[in-house]
Amino acid sequence: MAEVHVIGQISGASGFPSPNLFCKWGIVAGTPWKLLAGLAEGQTQVDQPQDGERANWCHPIDVHYACKGLQGWPKLHFEVWHQDMFGRSELYGYGFCHVPTSPGSYTLDCATWRPSGDIWEQIQSFFLGGGPQLKSKDLIYDGTNRYRLRTETMGFVHVQIAVVLRNFRKFGVEC
Amino acid sequence: MEDLVHEESSKIDDGDDEVMSHPSEETNDFMKTLMERREQTRNTLESTMAQRHRRLPPLKQTHKGQQVDVVDVEGPSALTASIRERMRQRVREASAKSQSTGTEIRPRRLRSLRQRGDVQTRFDEPSVSVFASTSSPPPASLRLPSPPDDKDEIVEEPEPALERWKRAIEKTRPTRFAQSEAGIDESAYDFFTSSIEGGPEALEEEEVEEQRQVSQERQIAETDLEAGEGDEEQYVPLTVRGHAEYHPHGERLKVEEELYFYPSSDSARLEDKLPEETEARHLEDEGLYVGKRPPVSWRNYNRLENRLLRQEDKGRAWFAEDGRLSYVPDPLKKPPSRPHVHIGGTDDEKLDTEVKLPLVETFDHRFIDGSGLGFGCYQLDVDISSLAFSHHSLFSVEHVLASRLSQLYSQYVERREKGIVTFMEDRLKALREASRHLQETLGPVDPEPGTVLEEQFHRLREYKSEIRRIRLLKDSEEVTDKKIIKSILKYWNNLKAVRQEQGYNATSLKLVIRKEGVSARDDEAAWQRAIDEEVEELREEYQEEYAGQLMEYQRQMDEYRKERKLIRQEMKRRRRETQEEEGRTFDRSAALREPVRPDGPAPFDEAAARRQVVEKAMENRRHPGQPKLFPILDSSALISASQQCPREEQLRRRDVQRCSYCIRVLFNKREVSRTATKTLSGDFTVHFGQIFNIQIRQWPESISLQLYESRSGSSGGFGLIAEVYVPIPPSQLHSGNVALENIDFSSPQKVEYAHTGVGSGINVDISSSGLVSILLTSGALRASACWSKDDATGKILSPPMLGQPTHFGERYVDAIAALGATGMVDIQKLATWISEAQLDPNDPRNADLLYLVKTHAGDDPSCLAKQDYFRLNEMEKDSYFCEDDYLEKSKRFQLLALRDQEARNFSGFKMVPANDSEIKDSIFTDLASKEIEEEELDPHKLQRFAVTNFFKEVQSRVIDRSQRASRHRELRDVVIEEEVPNIGILGQSIVKLLAPRRPLKPERKERKTIFTQAGGVSDIKLLVRLVRAFNVPIRERSNTRLGARSSGQGGRDGDPSSDFDLTDQVQVRPFVEVSFQQSKQLTPVADGPNPSWNSEMSLPFMSPNHDYSPVALQGVTDLISFNLFDEILVDLLEDDRQRETNRHERIERRWLGNLSVPFSTVYSNTRVDGTFQVSVPSVLLGYKKDDSRATEVASASDFALMSHSQTFLSLFITIEPPLPPLPTLREQYDSNEDPRLLRTARAWSDALERKFKKRRIQMTVMDINIKTVFITRYVRSQNPPEGILANVESGSLAAMEKVAWYVAMIPSLADAVAFRSNCDIWATSEQFLMMQAGDEEEHAVLLCNYFLFMGKKAWVVLGSGIPEGSTAYVLTEDQGDQLSGEYWLWNPSTGKRFHQFDPYCPLQTVDSVFGTENIWVNVQDHQKPSFLNFNLSLSRNWRPFFSKRYPNPGLSSVQGDLTYKPPDESLAKSVEEKIERLLKKRFEESRRHVTRWNRHCIAELRKFLPRLEERPFDSASVEDQKLQLASITGSDKLSGFPLHFAFTDVDSIVNSVLDTRLHTIEDPQAEFALAVYVEAYPSDVLSVWVYVVGLTKRLT
């Protein structure tokens, strides 16, 4: 009934140990939501900035949702990956943020984290790269059990988003 | 509560150290005494002050009866005190001299002090007097007072005491007024000057003196201050040295002991704690829950109790009924409220992290983990147990019968075990009982509608109908049972007969029939009862019907009576009339017909019904008294020993022993392992008993088992018998819970033996049983596939479920997961299982399951949750804005989604309306069925409809696959990278400098392509450059010299006399009309048969739906058509006299030929450049081919074209701006081929492609399922339709031409247009005929297959030709006597045949040739067919793929035998009529003048057309026709031609005819002739001929 149109881009990421990054992203929404158009998940290119610590992707997001209820408002979730000089990819961070609930354009900074692992794993990843990854990726945005993870903070994913809402007022939802 | 507890506990705690602070009687008393003492002290002070009243002003006037807290009064600071002291001393000295009055007062004061000293305190201790005498401040802060002095001392030395007090004050108020002495003085002054109320009477006379004193004092003080330090003599020490006070510890303790109260730590007596005369009551003993007491040490506890007991009410409120302190149970929880965080990992699987080393991985969706390097361990267990043949070629007749018998027997046993009949009977019984019961309770009353009774009657009716149904079912089951037993007996008899006949036993089957006697009388009774019951039911049934019929009858009767009455009345009236009119006799015949009396329904015929029932029972059931028969089959018969058998049987048995089998296990079509080879046992079973563990990385797509057989022991070669597919196990199926399954297989192999083996796949006549049938080798493989279970962890090694929902709202705690049945989704099955398993509903372990099943009333997935928590999900539904299915129903959303999915017809949809109401319902059906509707206009819509549907299905499949492929982008698809200049480019640019400015032969430069997004580029133009034409037909001289007035008009300066000039040079004035979409453009008119226009045109291009995405462009079906015309100027000037001054001419055009290029060709090749043949009709009235003049040509190749009789057009077409073609589908698709073959083929072709860059080497193509298929599989001899070869000698050239003509009749459609993707998809011939469309390859393959069928040597040639670009031809080698060793090339799309050395063959290059057995690539220097040696056996000319090194593995063909629909003449007729009607209509519509049809000519044309169809390429008949027509038409000038089409649809044909512009002859006298002929070929292939002729009068 009501519709949400999210247009924007994943502009980049900063604050990571190395700026050679790419990002897998997705949008999840609850059962009352239906994706009408657009891709709800994707992957950016690998950006290898010449200088500066900010990776730029400018990856477009253009999704159109219809919903019959508010439960499960869409969330953006990210997996930031790092590609090292050998072309190997390793996980650098998980993060998620909600799509803003009122119309307008936004610049969001989504903080990311990654599982830190035990000491042995840390030593291993120091020398060999890689590191612990979540087995079930739903945990990124499904917060029920997350507090039990041991994580370390990573950088930010920057998102520029414009949210267009339609018909919400008709159902008594003031956005 | 908690607060209370805390308070309490703190109390208890405090009780430990500060008992004093508790409010208790004792402390109160103590405080009182303290206060009293304080008061006393104050009084003492007052008295001392009063004593000095005369000399010093009082510190504060005390009011009458009012106690003033000394401490609170602004006391003098130490400094001021000392100053005063001194002053007072001085004043005292002075006054001592002058006055003596003060002594009177002193004794009074002293007295009072003395009196005070006698006052007994409560404690009556000496220290009290100490307090009093020292007049120290009250012990507010437990400061102990100064040591006690003697009373006398006090009396004698009041001053030191006062001083001491002052010091004490000083200590308590250390520096408050020390800041300024002046301020103090002032305040003192204020103090003194303030009004004094109610002073004692004695003061009155003192006042004056006092004031005087004050002024004196002030004076002194001032002088003091002024004199200060300088005045040594007057210096009085300001400080008094005091010593540290010390109170001995013992004393202090002693004092404390007096002051403090220590409750005893002994336990208090119970009686004290309880109210009087009550017993202690222990709740715990009474079984009530009492919590745990908070731990308190017993000493403290006792103290507390004791202290409480000291209270007035003995602390009743604090004690509970059991005499102990009331308490609140220990609120502390044992386990921590925050869960413990594990350091070394978590127990929750979901939270698990795993360390992944970074790896370079390319994602491949075929792999479970996304890459071949996946870490997941997925293991399949394939268990192959045994193999049992139900038929084998080595079966003897006896075996066949035995296998039938055992099959039947197992069927019988199965049925008996199930007991279907018994079940039915029981059911029937129960139903009858129920209905009878119901009937009895209801009685015969008719129910009132809407009551309970009504409902029950309804139920009764339902019962009855159910009884009926079940009875029928039972009957049929009984029949089946009986039949089975009968056939078991029959086969057994047959088997016995066979054994008898051959004299030995080959099988061990033996049938024993067990009889079970029954009591005849009981049986009879039961039989009778059953029959009675049935009859009764029939009666009831009938009665129900009867009631209805009776009603109907009543109604009919009523009507009948009414009618009869009317008629009677009428009759009477008439009779009366006739009687009135005398003389006229009553005409009986005029009487109205009596209505027919309806028949009443017949009553129930019981006898008949009974007869019927008995008959049925006799037939189906065991007769009464007959014994029950139970066949029992066992294998107890002895098999005769081999030596006793005849030789044939011995041979068979030897063969059986030689037979051995093995099974290959294929996963995703790849062999992963194979079983050991096992020999066939005598009872035709093979036991394998092997389990294969297959660790997989790819998603399982298929698991198949191939059965191989070896005939001559284990050493011989194996042949594939059958392949069976094992279903891919669901993820919860593991090795623990899997059961072996029988997988049936059969094999079409044909085997025949000389011995007693019956063979298979052939007709077997088992005469004794009258059984004649084809027995195929068949059997059952006992095998299973499941996922492995890890023994250590118990984990099922199955890949994660596909397509898991990602909505987080849907994730619940899965109750079933707790049971270990994760992933089980079929709740219904679970429910049935639970009901079968009879779970104990009270067992809490089953609670989850029962809850689950109970809540599964609806299909709400949320019921799957076990909810021991509260979530808002429950309310989720309530908060929805709209109904559940609104999202699916909304038209707008549908439209948006369809557009997003790029569904057919919706992909280019630009604007979606904002509201549902603005969208018409029809939009979905409209767009989808647009094409179907068009087709429905066709006369043979049904057939077309089926074809269209099939075609669409294929198309959508291809589109789906190709779109998936098109998402795989490469870097260059996304990034435009300018080429970095390298040395080669530099070199080129240097060469460019030296190149001529204006080269004689300019070359076209490569342009950069623009990568369009959808809707990016909209201004697209088609650039067409028409260079020249060759060999345009020239006008025919009229054979009569007369009146050819309009023919051969010269140029504009043409002399009228030239009409008669035979040597007129102007033979033709050709020009070309280019038409594309809606636009048309003309070239200028040129002269002569070899015109050169060199004109460039640009035609606008519009994409359908304005969608310029590559996919949409690919689907554009528009043609660019080039129509070659001759311009004729007709002189209309009637008066020759005006010729010198006037001109009156009409321009007419005569169509000469047509060439059309599909847009898709231009699009996919980016440009079309070259010389193309114009299709000129074989008969062109009024024109002829110019054979004589083969001159004036520039180049050699052009010369070759020139001298031929064909007409050519050289042109160049491109698109501006250049558009990128759709990326070709990359060949990464699944294949059924052997991977080794594919690998080898790829390597081989890559090597050759490197060598011969331009040659197209195609080893594999895609079939319509987008699976890679090896190309040679397409070629196989296939039967051509029989009808078309009826009249020709088989194998002759004529037959070949016929076949080629038939193939050419199947319409052509490029793959790109058909499938909207740039892929080379080869349909099999069957599909090709079904679709009625295909490109050159399909045509070529079909033609080649026909030739092979006719016994010719034929191959398919891949190369490039004009105009289609890369194409396929058919190569035949003629081994006939006169044409031995000659090679012919057939164009499959036109059916024309070219000799190898024919220089005008449109096939320009030959790249490779393939046939059934091999692929050859042209490795000769040349590619032109005429330069080639087509002897394929020479490997230096033709490199074969299959060679000795890699022999052909015997690839089976994908083609099967073809079946054709017979030619549909009626269809042909209707198409013919439709075309003719439409054409005539369009002709008439588009002409300004009345169109006259020349019937004579039409009749003649109709005769020609079938002849044309018979010999389409025969030019000899052309001249005949012309002559014949000329003779008919006589004076008319003819222009016209026959046109031929392969039928696709009517409109395109009509449009093509109209494109010739024949109807534009403006001559009002012109007449027309039009004939249409449609020849029907098998499989709805139609050949359409249209002959149009325009007749103009020759002027005489």
Side-chain angles (χ1 to χ4, degrees), chain B residues 592-612:
Chain B
L592 288 167
R593 200 167 46 82
E594 284 262 326
V596 188
R597 192 189 166 87
D599 294 328
F604 181 61
D605 183 0
E606 191 171 338
R610 179 171 288 272
R611 206 164 46 240
Q612 199 187 331

Side-chain angles (χ1 to χ4, degrees), chain A residues 1 3 29 68 133 148 166, chain B residues 354 807 881 884 892 914:
Chain A
M1 275 316 291
E3 293 166 47
K68 55 185 174 189
Q133 294 175 18
R148 288 164 65 181
R166 182 166 185 257
Chain B
E354 53 186 337
H807 296 310
F881 305 149
D884 282 350
R892 171 176 151 83

Side-chain angles (χ1 to χ4, degrees), chain A residues 1 3 29 31-32 36-38 66 68 71 87-89 121 129-133 135-136 138-139 145 147-148 166, chain B residues 339 347-348 351-356 358 807 810-811 876 879-882 884 886-887 892-893 897 900 914-915:
Chain A
M1 275 316 291
E3 293 166 47
T31 31
L36 290 181
K68 55 185 174 189
Q71 275 82 10
R88 309 179 304 171
S89 310
E121 285 167 359
Q133 294 175 18
K135 274 186 176 171
S136 106
D138 313 333
L139 216 63
N145 273 325
Y147 65 89
R148 288 164 65 181
R166 182 166 185 257
Chain B
D347 48 353
D348 191 348
L351 280 171
D352 268 3
T353 55
E354 53 186 337
V355 179
K356 275 193 180 167
H807 296 310
E810 285 176 1
R811 205 157 292 114
E876 192 172 315
S879 66
Y880 281 179
F881 305 149
C882 55
D884 282 350
Y886 190 90
L887 289 186
R892 171 176 151 83
F893 294 165
D900 185 54
N915 297 316

Side-chain angles (χ1 to χ4, degrees), chain B residues 1481-1492 1558-1568:
Chain B
K1481 196 174 138 212
R1482 295 283 291 276
F1483 251 75
E1484 283 161 14
E1485 272 172 5
S1486 49
R1487 276 179 56 78
R1488 275 193 300 159
H1489 305 283
V1490 177
T1491 310
R1492 270 174 282 190
L1558 191 80
H1559 59 280
T1560 56
I1561 297 176
E1562 278 294 292
D1563 190 349
Q1565 303 296 318
E1567 288 185 345
F1568 293 92

Side-chain angles (χ1 to χ4, degrees), chain A residues 1-3 24 28-39 64 66-73 75 81 84 86-90 98 115 117-118 121 124-125 128-139 141-142 144-150 166 168 171 173, chain B residues 338-361 795 804-811 871-873 875-877 879-890 892-894 896-901 913-916 967:
Chain A
M1 275 316 291
E3 293 166 47
K24 298 177 183 178
V28 287
T31 31
W33 294 75
K34 186 192 177 193
L35 182 69
L36 290 181
L39 295 174
H64 191 171
C67 70
K68 55 185 174 189
L70 290 176
Q71 275 82 10
W73 190 273
K75 298 167 180 179
W81 290 73
D84 65 9
F86 307 110
R88 309 179 304 171
S89 310
E90 58 182 330
H98 279 279
D118 58 20
E121 285 167 359
Q124 197 183 3
S125 62
L128 302 173
Q133 294 175 18
L134 288 181
K135 274 186 176 171
S136 106
K137 298 282 166 69
D138 313 333
L139 216 63
Y141 47 82
D142 188 10
T144 46
N145 273 325
R146 219 170 23 181
Y147 65 89
R148 288 164 65 181
L149 281 168
R150 287 155 58 85
R166 182 166 185 257
F168 275 97
F171 301 105
V173 182
Chain B
R338 287 194 68 135
H340 178 66
V341 177
H342 290 274
I343 300 302
T346 51
D347 48 353
D348 191 348
E349 211 175 285
K350 217 174 125 187
L351 280 171
D352 268 3
T353 55
E354 53 186 337
V355 179
K356 275 193 180 167
L357 292 179
L359 280 168
V360 186
E361 50 182 79
K795 211 178 135 196
Q804 274 177 337
T806 48
H807 296 310
F808 50 84
E810 285 176 1
R811 205 157 292 114
R871 288 282 182 277
L872 282 168
N873 294 336
M875 261 102 90
E876 192 172 315
K877 283 264 161 66
S879 66
Y880 281 179
F881 305 149
C882 55
E883 278 85 52
D884 282 350
D885 53 349
Y886 190 90
L887 289 186
E888 274 68 47
K889 270 195 204 154
S890 164
R892 171 176 151 83
F893 294 165
Q894 274 182 35
L896 283 168
L898 281 171
R899 184 179 68 174
D900 185 54
Q901 288 155 14
N915 297 316
D916 265 4
R967 298 219 172 97

